[in-house]
Amino acid sequence: MHATRRDLPLLFGDGPTTIHGADWGGLRSMLVSMPAGTDLAPVLKGLPSDLCPCPHWGYVIRGRMRVVYADREELLQTGDLFYLPPGHTPFVEEDVEFVEFSRPEEYQPVMDHVQRVMAAASAT
């Protein structure tokens, strides 16, 4: 299987933050774009320890983001191959684009939570 960004359905976003992807071979395969200053900590509140409980594997195409864990931080930037174990939250330091792979059964509950938090925030 293969696809271009144009071929992949939009899974999330309609502005500068977008996730295009599809489920292939038991993984959700995604192209993610987020602008500088994006802090996911507020939308992860309410998840275990207020951190993302889903593991992710990927590659940073361009940009830079800091990933915060309960006990450490790491910087991901252009050209980095990564694995994010459960228990993290990212902060985008420079417009970032990356390829990410996650197991749908772990990823979808997180996205459902994020969408609920965002809907509640926009309703106020």
Side-chain angles (χ1 to χ4, degrees):
M1 301 247 12
H2 74 281
T4 67
R5 182 185 307 273
R6 289 185 312 269
D7 297 332
L8 293 169
L10 180 65
L11 301 177
F12 180 84
D14 60 3
T17 297
T18 60
I19 302 173
H20 290 83
D23 291 355
W24 296 337
L27 291 175
R28 182 145 308 156
S29 304
M30 297 167 281
L31 289 171
V32 181
S33 298
M34 293 188 289
T38 300
D39 182 2
L40 293 180
V43 296
L44 297 176
K45 287 196 185 301
L47 292 172
S49 301
D50 295 332
L51 299 169
C52 181
C54 178
H56 311 281
W57 296 261
Y59 178 80
V60 181
I61 298 168
R62 67 177 177 84
R64 183 176 67 238
M65 66 182 170
R66 183 163 307 282
V67 182
V68 179
Y69 300 90
D71 61 347
R72 69 186 188 292
E73 293 184 7
E74 63 185 352
L75 185 65
L76 300 177
Q77 54 195 347
T78 302
D80 285 351
L81 186 64
F82 64 84
Y83 166 65
L84 305 180
H88 62 271
T89 185
F91 178 80
V92 179
E93 293 186 346
E94 179 183 294
D95 291 357
V96 70
E97 185 173 26
F98 56 95
V99 176
E100 181 178 284
F101 303 95
S102 302
R103 292 184 285 261
E105 65 275 9
E106 294 171 306
Y107 181 80
Q108 194 57 52
V110 174
M111 287 309 297
D112 293 344
H113 174 85
V114 167
Q115 290 174 328
R116 281 191 302 275
V117 169
M118 290 177 67
S122 67
T124 59

